[in-house]
């Protein structure tokens, strides 16, 4: 399938380019009047309703997007992914996060081997370990039960688990299962993050889970050594065996670090970091907090969407539709950003997680065959829960730049509140905004409407809303572990579809390497300057000046310190 032909050279791409002119003659205000159009722009699957009628698209646009998908061989690429082919060609790896949530009896082959039994071997090990910790049969070095967990990891070894944890925290069944337990995440190498995470924790009752696919990430390893010091300085070095476990693909380095290999939970190089929340990366910390049976529901929700993605026709395939519409917005309508706006506080960490899933995957400059692209890929993802975002950046979305929005609403609140004598209950109040905002963006408000309302003439232009601003609405029935899994898989596959169309490798991340290697040079310099007083050399004028100023202004930092941990 590899070829240096770019999707932008195909007739389908050119047709869509030409079609923009047609769409520019329309306004969502009018498009929304066509009931047939709107009806065919609603899709339902497994309790989830998607309404994309507020996209700047007609049924003809959709037809052209399906042609584009065909020209980009999207169907074949999806099948190749599920078949375990090495579609991550620059790293020569399959991309099989779908195997992480496949049922026990599924068969998913990679390099001639069914990977599902090894997935379940690790899941069973997690179930067993987390039950022993939760029941108090696995105790710490002083015989106390371990009720608090600090998960140390960054990027994909952090954001997905944090998203799911935040979403489950207030879910009735999950929160009951987590009673008396805490799960914290130490990600940043900033010592302040260490201080925040250990504050209020007792090493005797704390389990540290070091999560790193490579077990070489500088930030994670320094934080892991810091946590090891925190434990051993309080309880003695032998306590590490009882208080530290690891999740990694690199079990050799785990052992070298001093963690018992029996307490290491494996995953595989066919799981990309940002797609790893369904591996031990997420399943271990979440099972320790909520119990394995809750996490299993999350995996089932994701698996249900996996099957839908693989088998549903494109006209009804949620990740495919959303992926194609994102390509339409970015590559044809020229909107470079996307706002992820969940009307649920429980989903407050969805946008940061999808930011990595999407931007690390699709922020590329060359095709999968290494050909420089004449078009931009990826989009700038950001977001906040509604209604908080409304009082922050929505002004720009309503009257400034056009940013396609994903509105995500939930039918049944995790935590309903009813107050006597209120007009509506609290969740209805929230959802009133969820329903209103997409229409405000789509319809806008004309000067004529304002004049009819007797708005003073000098304010008319200020109060005018152009409208015609696209969004889509995702309505979830509730926010259980299962629904959270569904939502995750929708976004993961949508990002893959976008990459498949753009013809890029969405599964590597070479762009993060340069900064890492330059930091190594700076680290060496800081060491040499602090220890031996060496002057700053080998940098450009600006960096040299900045580092020199930093060193001079922090000359009181001891050159040969004894261990100091945060004390707040
Ligand atoms: O799990 P690891 O190997 O510590 O890597 C953490 C993160 O670093 C990256 O490699 C780059 O930021 C991500 O892709 C990954 O999720």
């Amino acid at each position: 399938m590899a070829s240096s032909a770019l999707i932008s050279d195909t007739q389908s791409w050119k047709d869509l380019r030409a079609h923009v002119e047609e769409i520019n003659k329309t306004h969502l205000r009018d498009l929304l009047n066509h009931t047939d159009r709107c009806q065919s722009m609603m899709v339902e699957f497994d309790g989830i309703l998607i309404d994309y009628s507020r996209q700047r698209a007609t049924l003809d646009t959709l037809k052209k997007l399906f042609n584009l998908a065909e020209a980009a061989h999207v169907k074949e690429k999806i099948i190749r992914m599920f078949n375990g082919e090495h579609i991550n060609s620059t790293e020569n790896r399959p991309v099989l996060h779908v195997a992480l949530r496949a049922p026990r009896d599924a068969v998913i082959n990679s390099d001639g081997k069914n990977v599902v039994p090894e997935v379940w071997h690790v899941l069973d090990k997690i179930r067993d370990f987390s039950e022993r910790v939760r029941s108090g049969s696995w105790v710490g070095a002083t015989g106390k039960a371990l009720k608090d967990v600090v998960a140390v990891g960054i990027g994909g070894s952090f954001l997905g688990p944090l998203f799911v944890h935040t979403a489950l925290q207030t879910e009735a069944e999950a929160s009951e299962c987590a009673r008396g337990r805490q799960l914290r995440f130490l990600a940043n190498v900033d010592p302040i993050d260490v201080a925040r995470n250990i504050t209020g924790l007792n090493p005797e009752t704390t389990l540290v889970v070091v999560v790193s696919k490579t077990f070489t990430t500088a930030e994670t390893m320094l934080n892991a050594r810091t946590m090891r010091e925190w434990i051993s300085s309080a309880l003695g070095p032998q306590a590490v065996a009882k208080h530290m476990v690891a999740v990694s693909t690199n079990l050799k380095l785990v052992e070298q670090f001093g963690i018992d290999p029996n307490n290491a939970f494996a995953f595989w190089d066919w799981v990309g970091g940002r797609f790893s929340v369904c591996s031990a990366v997420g399943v271990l910390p979440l099972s320790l907090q909520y119990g394995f049976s809750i996490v299993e529901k999350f995996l089932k929700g994701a698996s249900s969407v996996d099957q839908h993605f693989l088998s549903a026709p494109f006209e009804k395939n949620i990740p495919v539709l959303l992926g194609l519409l994102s390509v339409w917005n970015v590559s044809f309508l020229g909107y470079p950003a996307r706002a992820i706006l969940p009307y649920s506080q429980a989903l407050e960490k969805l946008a940061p997680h999808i930011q990595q899933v999407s931007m690390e995957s699709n922020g590329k400059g060359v095709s999968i065959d290494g050909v420089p692209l004449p078009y931009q890929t990826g989009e700038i993802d950001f977001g906040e829960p509604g209604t908080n975002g409304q009082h922050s950046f929505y002004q720009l979305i309503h009257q400034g730049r056009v940013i396609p929005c994903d509105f995500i609403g939930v039918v049944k609140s995790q935590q309903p509140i009813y107050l006597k004598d209120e007009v509506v209950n609290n969740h209805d109040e929230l959802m009133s905004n969820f329903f209103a905002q997409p229409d405000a963006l789509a319809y806008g408000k004309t000067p004529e409407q304002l004049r009819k309302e007797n708005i003073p003439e000098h304010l008319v232009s200020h109060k005018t809303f152009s409208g015609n601003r696209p969004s889509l609405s995702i309505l979830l029935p509730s926010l259980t572990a299962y629904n959270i899994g569904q939502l995750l898989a929708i976004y993961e596959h949508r990002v893959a579809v976008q990459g498949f169309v753009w013809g890029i490798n969405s599964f590597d991340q070479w762009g993060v390497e340069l900064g890492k290697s330059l930091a190594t040079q700076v680290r060496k310099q800081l060491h040499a300057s602090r220890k031996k007083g060496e002057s700053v050399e080998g940098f450009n004028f600006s960096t040299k000046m900045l580092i020199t100023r930093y060193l001079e202004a922090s000359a009181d930092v001891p050159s040969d310190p004894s261990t100091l941990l945060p004390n707040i």
Side-chain angles (χ1 to χ4, degrees):
M1 182 157 303
S3 112
S4 56
L6 297 177
I7 189 67
S8 55
D9 296 331
T10 62
Q11 192 53 45
S12 321
W13 184 278
K14 289 172 191 163
D15 286 349
L16 278 159
R17 273 237 163 285
H19 179 64
V20 171
E21 208 178 306
E22 288 299 301
I23 289 300
N24 281 343
K25 292 179 198 152
T26 66
H27 193 288
L28 278 171
R29 209 181 279 144
D30 308 312
L31 292 179
L32 285 166
N33 278 337
H34 299 275
T35 311
D36 285 354
R37 169 188 170 275
C38 296
Q39 207 154 29
S40 37
M41 290 190 168
M42 291 200 170
V43 208
E44 239 180 307
F45 170 71
D46 200 11
I48 299 175
L49 176 66
I50 309 278
D51 175 5
Y52 59 95
S53 60
R54 287 176 195 79
Q55 289 289 306
R56 293 191 56 214
T58 60
L59 297 182
D60 194 30
T61 320
L62 263 295
K63 223 191 276 162
K64 289 182 162 50
L65 284 170
F66 293 135
N67 290 341
L68 184 72
E70 206 178 314
H73 306 285
V74 171
K75 184 73 200 173
E76 291 93 315
K77 288 174 182 173
I78 295 171
I79 292 170
R80 291 181 68 209
M81 180 171 106
F82 278 79
N83 280 349
E85 290 184 37
H86 288 215
I87 63 169
N88 175 358
S89 52
T90 59
E91 295 180 303
N92 192 21
R93 290 172 184 171
V95 175
L96 274 180
H97 44 278
V98 292
L100 300 170
R101 50 246 191 168
R104 199 183 278 274
D105 57 358
V107 176
I108 299 183
N109 286 312
S110 168
D111 298 325
K113 186 175 156 213
N114 179 14
V115 297
V116 178
E118 45 183 327
V119 166
W120 276 93
H121 175 73
V122 175
L123 289 177
D124 288 338
K125 185 173 166 178
I126 294 174
R127 185 203 308 258
D128 176 63
F129 178 73
S130 57
E131 273 167 16
R132 280 195 289 150
V133 171
R134 288 168 58 80
S135 67
S137 80
W138 173 289
V139 289
T142 57
K144 292 191 177 156
L146 303 176
K147 61 182 184 49
D148 302 318
V149 170
V150 179
V152 180
I154 199 163
S157 295
F158 157 59
L159 291 161
L162 176 69
F163 153 58
V164 180
H165 171 52
T166 312
L168 284 174
Q169 241 170 348
T170 39
E171 200 272 332
E173 193 189 358
S175 69
E176 189 51 44
C177 294
R179 200 170 285 280
R181 308 195 63 83
Q182 277 189 79
L183 172 59
R184 299 182 178 191
F185 293 90
L186 171 55
N188 201 338
V189 74
D190 185 341
I192 293 169
D193 210 14
V194 175
R196 285 186 180 177
N197 270 286
I198 61 177
T199 298
L201 289 190
N202 176 356
E204 286 182 285
T205 54
T206 302
L207 178 70
V208 176
V209 183
V210 184
V211 186
S212 176
K213 180 175 170 179
T214 54
F215 231 68
T216 58
T217 301
E219 297 94 319
T220 299
M221 296 326 296
L222 181 53
N223 276 337
R225 292 192 293 277
T226 306
M227 292 306 288
R228 185 176 60 189
E229 188 60 37
W230 180 69
I231 288 182
S232 51
S233 61
L235 308 172
Q238 77 297 337
V240 169
K242 284 286 178 191
H243 290 264
M244 288 187 92
V245 299
V247 175
S248 187
T249 59
N250 197 335
L251 300 181
K252 225 166 139 190
L253 288 185
V254 170
E255 192 172 0
Q256 275 173 26
F257 180 88
I259 290 176
D260 183 345
N262 292 319
N263 303 333
F265 298 82
F267 66 114
W268 307 271
D269 68 3
W270 42 260
V271 183
R274 53 194 173 273
F275 298 99
S276 66
V277 56
C278 295
S279 72
V281 165
V283 176
L284 178 62
L286 294 165
S287 295
L288 286 162
Q289 178 70 1
Y290 298 104
F292 183 79
S293 65
I294 296 280
V295 185
E296 200 174 7
K297 291 178 190 169
F298 160 71
L299 297 178
K300 283 190 175 146
S303 174
S304 155
V305 169
D306 294 342
Q307 286 318 307
H308 165 77
F309 179 50
L310 178 62
S311 57
F314 281 6
E315 295 73 17
K316 296 198 178 317
N317 192 315
I318 292 174
V320 169
L321 284 164
L322 300 192
L324 292 176
L325 288 164
S326 289
V327 170
W328 170 240
N329 286 326
V330 173
S331 297
F332 298 96
L333 297 182
Y335 303 140
R338 172 175 64 190
I340 298 170
L341 309 171
Y343 278 65
S344 168
Q345 199 58 32
L347 294 176
E348 69 174 313
K349 296 296 177 190
L350 174 67
H353 176 48
I354 298 309
Q355 229 167 27
Q356 190 203 9
V357 171
S358 165
M359 293 168 81
E360 196 166 87
S361 297
N362 286 342
K364 304 287 160 68
V366 296
S367 76
I368 195 158
D369 303 305
V371 179
L373 296 172
Y375 48 88
Q376 302 267 327
T377 63
E379 71 263 282
I380 303 152
D381 288 290
F382 70 100
E384 272 293 317
T387 64
N388 294 11
Q390 291 176 200
H391 299 274
S392 166
F393 52 80
Y394 277 34
Q395 164 65 40
L396 179 141
I397 296 178
H398 279 288
Q399 287 188 313
R401 291 164 185 264
V402 179
I403 299 183
C405 298
D406 291 356
F407 289 96
I408 303 164
V410 181
V411 174
K412 268 180 115 174
S413 174
Q414 286 181 339
Q415 294 291 332
I417 295 178
Y418 304 97
L419 296 182
K420 202 167 166 288
D421 299 333
E422 288 289 335
V423 181
V424 290
N425 68 60
N426 300 39
H427 187 65
D428 281 351
E429 176 63 28
L430 172 74
M431 291 302 283
S432 304
N433 290 275
F434 166 81
F435 294 115
Q437 288 289 333
D439 277 341
L441 288 168
Y443 286 87
K445 195 158 190 180
T446 63
E448 295 70 42
Q449 286 173 305
L450 290 164
R451 288 189 184 106
K452 269 195 199 143
E453 291 173 11
N454 294 323
I455 297 299
E457 198 51 38
H458 72 282
L459 286 180
V460 167
S461 62
H462 294 280
K463 293 195 164 204
T464 299
F465 291 73
S466 60
N468 208 23
R469 290 163 186 257
S471 68
L472 57 86
S473 302
I474 302 175
L475 192 58
L476 303 171
S478 51
L479 207 50
T480 60
Y482 185 87
N483 305 133
I484 296 162
Q486 290 176 303
L487 188 61
L488 171 88
I490 287 174
Y491 272 92
E492 285 181 345
H493 296 321
R494 173 193 197 173
V495 163
V497 168
Q498 290 175 244
F500 288 156
V501 174
W502 282 319
I504 56 177
N505 183 356
S506 298
F507 305 106
D508 62 12
Q509 56 285 315
W510 300 108
V512 301
E513 295 304 325
L514 181 58
K516 283 187 199 172
S517 65
L518 291 185
T520 302
Q521 193 192 339
V522 178
R523 185 185 304 121
K524 276 190 192 143
Q525 178 69 61
L526 293 180
H527 174 81
S529 299
R530 292 247 194 252
K531 286 261 182 218
K532 300 177 231 153
E534 283 182 16
S535 63
V536 179
E537 297 302 340
F539 299 91
N540 60 50
F541 175 80
S542 160
T543 307
K544 181 182 166 131
M545 285 300 289
L546 287 167
I547 296 175
T548 306
R549 166 67 63 88
Y550 171 71
L551 285 167
E552 281 170 5
S554 60
D556 57 335
V557 168
S559 60
D560 197 10
S562 46
T563 295
L564 170 74
L565 288 170
N567 183 21
I568 59 167

